[in-house]
Amino acid sequence: MNERYSRQILFDPIGREGQERLLASRVLVVGCGALGTAHAEALARAGVGRLRLVDRDFIEPSNLQRQTMFTERDARERLPKAVACARHLKEINSEVEVEAEVSDVNRTNVERLLQDCDLVLDGTDNFSTRYLVNDACVKHKVNWIYGAAVSSYGVTMTVRPHTTPCLRCVFEEAPEAGSAPTCDTSGVIMPIISMVSAVQVTEALKLLTGHAESLHNSLMQLDVWRNEWRRIRLAEPNEDCPVCAKGIYQSLDAEGNDFAAVLCGRDAIQISPPKATAIDFERLAERLKASGEVSFNPYTLRFRVGDYELTVFRDARSIIRGTDDVNHARSLYARYVGV
Ligand SMILES: [Zn+2]
């Protein structure tokens, strides 16, 4: 074992054996925003041998205040977050195997993404993806660690399927659309990201090194501005839970309707094609250049027309900025990208 992990090996609960276990582990990080990049960086530094990253978005200047892995250059180049994150991780720890996937996590790919993973870390920003991750993790008996942060408030919980309550046991329904604060409507300060991700990463280290007895076993709520820290003890899994008691995986089985998603508070809509398609950027740029301003890099094509900006990914998924009207976004997509 090299010098690199010596201080972590000296930490008694991990030791040499724990380090070996970390090196042999694979973790899926869902979402490479503020929380996800914090997870990825900490796990790469700790020597978790294989990291799989998935994120649907690209880097913007407003991310830099809290998404500490990214630089101005990443934002200028509008790199997809998963790609930029993988690149930085390679510089941080070249021994770690990193797989990066630029895509929207949905019911068609979530089970493939968590294949061969020992653990899943939640770095997403929305409840529908979390329910999906929860369904897939309970179905395949993979531990996952829920985390969320907005404003100065954060919450986290570790889910061990059939041993502890799952997300659906604790939150039967997602908050109504538009009713819950988001980072884009209420803002967020960086320290709460550090705190939530620190608890999540520590739980990950405990699980990966076989120290389930040290897990916090609670719904942990923190407010770093109000100086509040609360733990609600978790009981047994809920006997009426559709997911972990009845095996009804509603999010995994739901048909259709995930074609378009409003990206909270960003004045933007994401449109996903019903079937994955590979887009030829050169041809699309050629076609679009008469109607507006086009530029592209190997990962994304950007097209400005009037008050709208379309960012098209290789798999034809697009983020349309300048509207929060799903139908309007669909018509722009159909007009310029086509399906
Ligand atoms: Zn449950």
Side-chain angles (χ1 to χ4, degrees):
M1 195 92 49
N2 58 31
E3 166 72 16
R4 155 167 226 143
Y5 307 112
S6 58
R7 302 305 185 272
Q8 189 165 275
I9 290 167
L10 281 171
F11 177 66
D12 202 41
I14 293 184
R16 211 157 265 282
E17 195 201 324
Q19 189 62 50
E20 294 284 1
R21 286 192 185 206
L22 294 177
L23 290 166
S25 300
R26 174 181 275 128
V27 173
L28 170 65
V29 178
V30 183
C32 298
L35 287 171
T37 50
H39 304 148
E41 178 175 350
L43 296 178
R45 288 188 189 278
V48 170
R50 279 160 291 184
L51 293 173
R52 187 173 291 159
L53 316 170
V54 55
D55 190 281
R56 66 184 178 188
D57 219 343
F58 53 89
I59 302 157
E60 297 180 276
S62 70
N63 300 146
L64 300 178
Q65 158 259 354
R66 65 195 179 285
Q67 302 186 13
T68 54
M69 179 171 276
F70 301 133
T71 63
E72 290 182 357
R73 184 173 166 184
D74 297 330
R76 256 195 320 272
E77 293 180 5
R78 300 199 133 224
L79 289 177
K81 291 181 177 179
V83 170
C85 183
R87 239 182 234 183
H88 291 300
L89 291 180
K90 277 286 162 203
E91 290 175 5
I92 289 167
N93 190 345
S94 58
E95 292 169 7
V96 170
E97 191 186 307
V98 183
E99 300 165 75
E101 186 161 324
V102 183
S103 61
D104 185 33
V105 177
N106 56 47
R107 67 188 165 80
T108 67
N109 61 14
V110 65
E111 292 176 86
R112 171 178 59 78
L113 285 165
L114 62 80
Q115 230 167 42
D116 306 319
C117 287
D118 300 289
L119 182 69
V120 177
L121 275 161
D122 171 23
T124 67
D125 59 359
N126 66 85
F127 253 86
S128 57
T129 310
R130 291 189 185 108
Y131 280 136
L132 187 72
V133 168
N134 186 64
D135 276 12
C137 285
V138 172
K139 184 175 172 187
H140 296 279
K141 300 185 181 62
V142 178
N143 296 326
W144 76 281
I145 305 172
Y146 158 59
V150 60
S151 183
S152 57
Y153 167 81
V155 56
T156 177
M157 179 177 85
T158 300
V159 177
R160 285 188 294 154
H162 308 294
T163 301
T164 67
C166 78
L167 190 70
R168 194 66 85 165
C169 291
V170 176
F171 302 106
E172 278 173 47
E173 299 283 341
E176 260 174 56
S179 69
T182 73
C183 295
D184 299 289
T185 57
S186 304
V188 61
I189 55 171
M190 203 270 261
I192 190 60
I193 303 289
S194 309
M195 293 178 81
V196 172
S197 62
V199 176
Q200 286 180 286
V201 167
T202 312
E203 293 279 282
L205 295 177
K206 293 171 191 171
L207 283 168
L208 295 173
T209 59
H211 287 288
E213 78 284 355
S214 298
L215 296 167
H216 62 72
N217 290 316
S218 61
L219 181 71
M220 190 183 282
Q221 300 169 312
L222 314 160
D223 192 316
V224 67
W225 199 267
R226 294 185 179 162
N227 313 305
E228 289 167 2
W229 183 335
R230 195 168 34 206
R231 286 171 63 195
I232 300 169
R233 282 248 150 228
L234 295 175
E236 297 287 298
N238 182 346
E239 285 173 13
D240 298 321
C241 174
V243 181
C244 62
K246 297 179 182 158
I248 302 167
Y249 306 112
Q250 203 184 16
S251 308
L252 278 180
D253 299 335
E255 284 290 332
N257 81 8
D258 45 7
F259 182 77
V262 181
L263 300 180
C264 258
R266 268 180 53 183
D267 196 25
I269 306 274
Q270 171 180 266
I271 302 283
S272 310
K275 248 173 50 192
T277 324
I279 290 250
D280 180 336
F281 284 164
E282 266 175 52
R283 275 176 54 193
L284 181 60
E286 195 54 40
R287 191 151 62 77
L288 292 175
K289 72 179 185 200
S291 327
E293 195 186 312
V294 200
S295 61
F296 63 93
N297 63 29
Y299 314 102
T300 55
L301 175 144
R302 198 156 34 128
F303 172 55
R304 281 214 186 99
V305 56
D307 296 334
Y308 307 107
E309 184 186 282
L310 281 72
T311 301
V312 184
F313 293 83
R314 281 263 176 224
D315 60 2
R317 188 170 54 84
S318 302
I319 291 173
I320 296 164
R321 175 179 282 177
T323 179
D324 52 13
D325 177 334
V326 169
N327 291 327
H328 189 51
R330 274 189 179 153
S331 80
L332 287 165
Y333 182 85
R335 196 180 316 160
Y336 295 113
V337 185
V339 195

